[in-house]
Amino acid sequence: MDDDMHVFVKFNSSTVPISVNSSSTVHDIRKEISKTNNIKTGEVRIIFAGKELHDHQKLKDMDIQNHTVVHAFRGRHLEPRTPLHLQKVSTNASDQSDKSSVPTYFVLCRRVCGAVKPGKLRIRCVGCREDKIIVTKEPQQWSDILQKGVIQGVCHTQGCRGPQPEFYFKCRGHEGQDHDHVVPLPLVRNNFLKVSCMTCLDDDSNPILVFPCPSNHAMCVSCFESYCLHQLNSRQFVEHESAGYTLSCPGYDADCRSAFVLDVHHFGIMGRENYERYKQFGAEECLLKMGGVLCPGTNCGMGIFLDDATEQTNHVECSECGLHFCVLCKEEYHGEETCSNMLLQGEAANSRLLSHYAVNMSLSKYDTESASTIRKTTKPCPQCGTPIEKSGGCMHMECPLARCQFSWCWICGTEWTPDCQDNHWFG
Amino acid sequence: MAETAGVHVELVDNSFLKLRGEIKGPPDTPFDGGKYILDITIPETYPFNPPKVTFRTKIWHPNISSVTGAICLDILKDQWAAAMTLRTVLLSLQSLLSSAEPDDPQDAVVAKQYKDDFTCYKRTAKHWAVVYAQASACQNKEDVEALALFDKNIQQLMQMGFSEQDSRVALSSKNWNVEAAVECLFS
C-alpha cells in the first residue's frame, strides 16, 4: 500500500478526499470528518461494505485502498466493548497471513479487463442504491449473496430506510465504478490445495473452476474456456430445466454427467463474441425443441412457430426476410412436389427435426463450397437429417445432436439392429 | 508411465500428435506375455475428444478387428471424458484383453467363435499371440498339440500357394477346418 493515498468519504451528499497512509486507522478518518464539518467525533459513523467501522481498525486490514469510497453519516457512534480483533478467532495457521492479498471471490470483468479477476464484495441498498447500509449478519455462503432477502440490513441514507441490501461485486483488476459489467463466478475458487486441473493436469493453476460433482473435479480457467468453446462449436451444450443451456462436469464418475454448471454467467469466460453465440445457440435449440423452425434464409435465422395452416401445407413465409420455404427440407418452397433435398430419405422425410441453422454470410464466405463438401463427406442421420461425418471406428453411429441421439447403421442408413452387428459391424 | 502396470507410451516424432503405445498381455489370458503395439493419434481437440487408438500388432479378440486393428471400446467413443488420460485408455485396453465383451464386438467372426466354441477361440487367440506378439507358449499338453496342428494346417494351405497371412485368417475364421478355409479363400 502506498504511503500517500486518498480515501473518498461520502458525507452529506458530497464526496471529499482524505489523505491517509498505510498505518491510518478508522479513527483518523472520523477525526478528519469531525474537524471539517465541525461536529463531535463521537457523532460520526462510518460504513463500508455493509459494516460499521470502529476506531482501532486499520484501513489496510479492512481492504480500504487508494480511491476506495466509504460512507459517513451523523449518528451516535458506539465502540464495541471487546475490540474486534480479539473477537476473531483464528482457526488455522494460514489465517495469519495477510488477508487482503488473498482474494475470496472471483468475478468476470466483462468490459474493462475482459478476464477472470479477483473481486470485491460490496453491499448497497436496493432502494437508494447507496452503500450506506449496515447488514445484520455477514454472508456465510454463496446463496446468502445470490438470493435476495436472505441477509437483512438497515439503510442510513436520510429518508430512505431502504427495504433490503443487495450484494454486488467490483473487480480488483481495475479502478473505477464500472461494476455493472462485473459478474461473480461462484464456481471459480482459490486453489489453496494445489488441486490439478482435470484436463491439463497442471497443479499450479490459480484460480481454478470447481464443478458441482461429488468428486469436486476442478479445471483451470483456460481449459474451461477451451472446454466450453469445443462443446459450443459442436452444439453439445444441453438444455437443463432450471439453468437453461449448459454443460456438465466432463469427468467420468457416475454423477459427473448430472453435475451441471447452474450459473450460466460462467460461460462468459469464452469472451463476449462467443458468449453472444452461446446465447444465440441456446435460443435456437430452445425454439427447435418447442417445435419451431429457423428460417433458412441467408443472414436470417428468424425463429418461427408453426400455425395450423402450415401443418397442412408445409409452407412458411418468413416474416423477417420474406423467404417462402418448405418446413420439411428447409429449401425454397416447392409447392406440392416432393422434397428434392437428398438429406431427407426414409423416416427423416416426415420429421421436421432437420435443423438448418442460419448462415451468416460475413462468417462463411465459402458457403456453397462448404455445402458441397458436407454433401460429399457426410451421411444424414436417418431420424433428424443432420449431416454426420464418420471419422473411424465401427459402423454403429449415434447422432451427436443432443436432442436426437438416434442410434443407426452407417451402411444401411436405418436404425442399428443386431443384424447390422452380425453382418457388417466393421464394414 | 508406470512400467509395473505393463503399459507404456512413447513419441513417434516431436509433434505429440502421433504416439506409440505398448501394453503387455495380461496373465491368465491367451495374450499372456505378449507385447502389443498401439498406434495413437491425438486429435487437436484433445482432451475434449478421445484419442484414436488402433492395434498395430495383429490380435484375435472379439472387440478388436483382426483385419484393421480397430477397437470397439466405449471410452474411445461416446463414453470418453475429458478427465481421462492415455494411461486410463491403455489400462482399459489391457482390461479389455482380460475380459472381452462379445456382445459388443468389433470383429463379428471372432465374437461368434468366442460364444460358440470357446476352447477354439482361446487356442486361436494364443496362436496369434505367439506369432505376432511373442507371447509365451502354452503349458497344457492338449493345447500344445492343438497349436502344433494349427501350424501344420497353415503350412498345408501355403503349399497350395496361399500366403501365410491369408491362410491364417481363413483357418482362424473357419475354426481351423482346412476344407472350409480353402472354400473361403477361393470365394
Side-chain angles (χ1 to χ4, degrees):
Chain A
M1 189 185 289
D2 295 335
D3 257 9
D4 183 27
M5 58 176 216
H6 291 94
V7 169
F8 293 119
V9 181
K10 275 195 174 179
F11 182 71
N12 279 349
S13 73
S14 64
T15 306
V16 287
I18 292 181
S19 289
V20 292
N21 60 46
S22 59
S23 59
S24 297
T25 62
V26 174
H27 180 72
D28 299 331
I29 295 183
R30 292 180 63 223
K31 214 165 66 187
E32 191 67 28
I33 298 282
S34 75
K35 204 167 74 188
T36 48
N37 293 282
N38 202 17
I39 49 176
K40 287 179 187 163
T41 320
E43 298 223 319
V44 181
R45 298 177 73 179
I46 309 270
I47 297 179
F48 176 65
K51 284 178 286 194
E52 178 157 17
L53 304 185
H54 301 292
D55 276 355
H56 65 277
Q57 289 171 317
K58 282 192 173 174
L59 300 187
K60 66 171 183 187
D61 294 341
M62 304 308 295
D63 194 25
I64 294 172
Q65 295 161 343
N66 199 17
H67 296 177
T68 298
V69 179
V70 301
H71 288 258
F73 66 102
R74 216 169 157 168
R76 193 151 163 248
H77 172 71
L78 289 175
E79 276 291 306
R81 284 204 192 124
T82 320
L84 278 180
H85 64 273
L86 291 182
Q87 289 178 348
K88 204 185 276 171
V89 179
S90 180
T91 48
N92 71 48
S94 67
D95 272 5
Q96 305 292 337
S97 62
D98 186 2
K99 272 259 170 175
S100 63
S101 67
V102 182
T104 319
Y105 303 104
F106 288 90
V107 295
L108 180 66
C109 178
R110 288 188 292 201
R111 184 163 288 179
V112 183
C113 304
V116 176
K117 292 281 176 188
K120 299 185 257 197
L121 178 66
R122 294 292 178 259
I123 304 166
R124 69 185 163 209
C125 166
V126 172
C128 65
R129 293 181 62 88
E130 289 284 354
D131 292 17
K132 217 193 268 185
I133 189 162
I134 299 177
V135 291
T136 47
K137 66 168 187 173
E138 290 197 37
Q140 303 294 317
Q141 53 200 1
W142 273 104
S143 57
D144 293 348
I145 293 169
L146 298 177
Q147 287 169 23
K148 284 188 179 154
V150 179
I151 303 275
Q152 298 294 318
V154 180
C155 179
H156 289 273
T157 301
Q158 247 180 351
C160 175
R161 298 288 160 200
Q164 52 175 284
E166 123 183 294
F167 293 92
Y168 68 99
F169 286 83
K170 286 187 169 183
C171 167
R172 282 186 196 271
H174 71 277
E175 287 187 4
Q177 296 298 306
D178 187 37
H179 34 252
D180 287 345
H181 298 94
V182 173
V183 289
L185 302 174
L187 298 181
V188 178
R189 300 181 195 158
N190 268 306
N191 192 5
F192 290 129
L193 299 173
K194 299 248 174 221
V195 176
S196 11
C197 166
M198 68 196 292
T199 51
C200 70
L201 307 179
D202 185 2
D203 60 4
D204 220 15
S205 309
N206 199 28
I208 199 150
L209 184 137
V210 182
F211 286 97
C213 62
S215 324
N216 287 330
H217 283 133
M219 207 184 244
C220 65
V221 172
S222 69
C223 281
F224 180 72
E225 183 182 356
S226 311
Y227 172 52
C228 294
L229 267 176
H230 176 262
Q231 300 299 95
L232 185 71
N233 290 338
S234 48
R235 293 225 180 211
Q236 293 294 307
F237 277 65
V238 290
E239 197 72 25
H240 179 273
E241 57 182 76
S242 65
Y245 200 47
T246 188
L247 290 176
S248 63
C249 171
Y252 53 89
D253 293 346
D255 296 320
C256 290
R257 278 163 206 239
S258 56
F260 290 99
V261 173
L262 295 179
D263 185 339
V264 299
H265 287 113
H266 290 90
F267 301 127
I269 290 175
M270 290 187 283
R272 199 187 304 178
E273 203 173 287
N274 284 313
Y275 190 61
E276 289 304 315
R277 284 176 68 219
Y278 155 81
K279 288 196 286 189
Q280 167 86 23
F281 286 16
E284 287 175 359
E285 295 298 335
C286 180
L287 178 112
L288 291 167
K289 202 177 153 199
M290 290 165 74
V293 291
L294 299 169
C295 171
T298 306
N299 286 340
C300 185
M302 176 77 178
I304 301 166
F305 284 107
L306 306 179
D307 54 22
D308 289 347
T310 312
E311 298 286 346
Q312 302 285 320
T313 59
N314 292 327
H315 167 241
V316 177
E317 180 184 356
C318 173
S319 59
E320 184 74 14
C321 71
L323 179 75
H324 292 257
F325 66 95
C326 163
V327 175
L328 295 179
C329 64
K330 314 292 186 292
E331 303 273 357
E332 209 166 312
Y333 189 62
H334 45 72
E336 297 203 341
E337 284 171 39
T338 47
C339 304
S340 57
N341 187 332
M342 60 176 291
L343 291 178
L344 295 164
Q345 288 160 358
E347 291 169 50
N350 295 314
S351 98
R352 288 171 176 165
L353 283 170
L354 175 64
S355 31
H356 194 115
Y357 300 112
V359 173
N360 182 337
M361 284 309 272
S362 66
L363 295 176
S364 47
K365 289 181 200 157
Y366 307 105
D367 191 50
T368 330
E369 284 86 343
S370 304
S372 93
T373 305
I374 290 169
R375 255 193 290 278
K376 274 182 223 148
T377 57
T378 66
K379 288 188 182 182
C381 163
Q383 180 164 279
C384 72
T386 301
I388 292 168
E389 184 182 18
K390 177 163 140 39
S391 65
C394 60
M395 299 299 151
H396 186 178
M397 307 296 290
E398 189 175 287
C399 180
L401 197 70
R403 67 201 151 78
C404 178
Q405 299 185 336
F406 189 63
S407 156
W408 57 285
C409 172
W410 181 257
I411 291 180
C412 308
T414 50
E415 189 170 4
W416 183 256
T417 63
D419 281 346
C420 301
Q421 186 162 307
D422 288 346
N423 299 331
H424 45 254
W425 186 271
F426 65 102
Chain B
M1 266 185 205
E3 196 59 46
T4 48
V7 301
H8 173 82
V9 308
E10 62 189 33
L11 293 179
V12 172
D13 50 33
N14 291 326
S15 72
F16 286 93
L17 295 179
K18 289 224 177 288
L19 302 170
R20 174 164 301 173
E22 190 184 311
I23 56 179
K24 276 191 193 150
D28 303 321
T29 68
F31 317 102
D32 185 11
K35 190 175 105 174
Y36 291 89
I37 307 287
L38 305 160
D39 287 328
I40 303 171
T41 309
I42 308 291
E44 277 181 41
T45 49
Y46 183 85
F48 306 111
N49 281 126
K52 288 183 185 167
V53 186
T54 55
F55 272 77
R56 171 172 284 249
T57 308
K58 291 194 179 301
I59 183 167
W60 191 256
H61 185 284
N63 303 103
I64 300 158
S65 165
S66 57
V67 183
T68 61
I71 303 165
C72 180
L73 181 65
D74 56 357
I75 65 157
L76 292 176
K77 295 188 287 184
D78 54 322
Q79 292 300 307
W80 171 257
M84 290 177 179
T85 61
L86 288 177
R87 186 184 160 82
T88 331
V89 171
L90 297 198
L91 290 176
S92 301
L93 286 173
Q94 211 177 25
S95 122
L96 186 68
L97 296 189
S98 297
S99 53
E101 291 170 34
D103 289 326
D104 190 9
Q106 179 78 32
D107 197 314
V109 178
V110 183
K112 192 168 181 308
Q113 188 183 69
Y114 184 99
K115 287 195 274 194
D116 297 349
D117 187 348
F118 189 65
T119 309
C120 181
Y121 157 77
K122 272 206 308 197
R123 286 172 179 165
T124 309
K126 180 51 114 184
H127 170 81
W128 283 56
V130 171
V131 172
Y132 296 112
Q134 292 84 48
S136 43
C138 340
Q139 304 297 324
N140 178 310
K141 190 168 166 256
E142 283 175 27
D143 288 342
V144 174
E145 282 169 9
L147 264 81
L149 187 64
F150 289 177
D151 289 330
K152 228 173 95 189
N153 291 348
I154 291 175
Q155 291 299 326
Q156 202 179 335
L157 289 199
M158 284 169 71
Q159 277 160 13
M160 293 169 71
F162 299 110
S163 75
E164 182 184 338
Q165 172 62 10
D166 288 350
S167 309
R168 178 172 294 119
V169 171
L171 284 162
S172 300
S173 313
K174 297 294 172 191
N175 291 2
W176 301 89
N177 179 317
V178 177
E179 275 174 34
V182 170
E183 200 179 310
C184 171
L185 284 165
F186 275 120
S187 67

